[in-house]
Amino acid sequence: QAYKQLGQLDSAMINYQRSMEFVNKYNESTWRGINSVFIAEIYFLRKDYETAKRLIHDEYKVKYTDQPNFSAYGLRLLARIDLAQGRYDSALLHINQALQLLRNHNSFPLLKANYLELAYQTAADVHRVFDHTDSFYHYSSLYATLHDSLERVATRSHTKMARLRIENARNYQTIHEIRRQKEAEEQKRNLIIA
């Protein structure tokens, strides 16, 4: 996923395929579905929509009750594919299913918030195509609010990490100074003894 975010799609695909080897070895159906959605996303980004749809429809076996976040993510991806292919009614159906899944559970709240942000953005795009002005502005507003909230959380996290690094550097300097003083005292003691 990190490689995908960096735009290194080939590296992302290699690592997803390596993950899929473990999935197949241990017969993990849930992770097979999750990996299939992420691999489908790579094909979507490469504009190979048919392969992406096939992976989601044929390989994606994550039950809605087991992994609602990933199920919603897969449905949102289907909505994006439908939009790209001009299948607007299907896009509306898929994004509504994704939103319903995300709203009806509370597991992994940060992951849910990230996927909900993407779903709101896609919902706004779908409603723009239908010229549903009120719905477009509603989902755009929800997206903007959630996006800003997640950005604030990320900023606080970065600030906290910076503070921890500064504190770590201070601790390192303090330890280094204590060692230097201890060595100086040992040298002084050894000179006195000599």
Side-chain angles (χ1 to χ4, degrees):
Q1 292 176 27
Y3 281 119
K4 192 244 345 172
Q5 289 180 352
L6 291 171
Q8 298 176 11
L9 301 182
D10 290 337
S11 297
M13 183 66 83
I14 288 168
N15 283 287
Y16 286 138
Q17 289 170 344
R18 288 176 59 205
S19 176
M20 200 62 100
E21 289 173 14
F22 286 104
V23 163
N24 292 333
K25 181 178 179 180
Y26 296 107
N27 198 26
E28 288 284 336
S29 62
T30 298
W31 276 102
R32 182 176 292 113
I34 292 169
N35 280 342
S36 293
V37 169
F38 287 133
I39 292 170
E41 185 177 32
I42 300 288
Y43 284 108
F44 169 77
L45 293 171
R46 292 177 174 166
K47 299 189 184 325
D48 185 351
Y49 302 131
E50 292 308 315
T51 303
K53 275 194 328 191
R54 183 184 48 76
L55 274 168
I56 294 172
H57 284 300
D58 296 344
E59 302 292 332
Y60 187 50
K61 306 293 186 203
V62 178
K63 297 176 185 170
Y64 293 150
T65 55
D66 290 347
Q67 295 293 332
N69 286 320
F70 293 105
S71 296
Y73 194 69
L75 288 165
R76 178 200 129 327
L77 184 57
L78 284 175
R80 300 289 316 168
I81 293 168
D82 291 334
L83 273 177
Q85 293 182 326
R87 300 175 61 230
Y88 304 132
D89 290 334
S90 294
L92 184 60
L93 175 69
H94 286 131
I95 197 59
N96 285 338
Q97 289 173 332
L99 288 168
Q100 183 179 4
L101 276 175
L102 289 167
R103 289 178 182 144
N104 290 337
H105 80 88
N106 292 317
S107 61
F108 302 103
L110 187 57
L111 183 64
K112 174 185 172 178
N114 284 316
Y115 288 169
L116 194 56
E117 174 191 16
L118 295 170
Y120 286 153
Q121 183 181 34
T122 302
D125 291 342
V126 170
H127 286 289
R128 180 184 319 133
V129 168
F130 280 104
D131 202 24
H132 297 157
T133 308
D134 291 342
S135 295
F136 167 74
Y137 284 117
H138 172 72
Y139 286 111
S140 293
S141 174
L142 289 173
Y143 166 77
T145 302
L146 186 54
H147 179 76
D148 291 346
S149 176
L150 290 172
E151 287 294 316
R152 279 192 299 276
V153 168
T155 300
R156 275 191 234 131
S157 177
H158 292 311
T159 302
K160 186 175 180 180
M161 289 298 294
R163 285 185 192 141
L164 288 172
R165 285 184 184 139
I166 290 168
E167 188 63 31
N168 189 35
R170 285 182 189 150
N171 290 339
Y172 178 77
Q173 288 175 345
T174 302
I175 290 169
H176 184 67
E177 183 64 27
I178 290 171
R179 280 186 188 157
R180 195 178 62 72
Q181 288 175 356
K182 185 177 178 184
E183 288 173 1
E185 288 175 12
E186 286 178 5
Q187 284 180 349
K188 185 177 177 181
R189 186 191 70 210
N190 289 341
L191 285 174
I192 292 172
I193 291 174

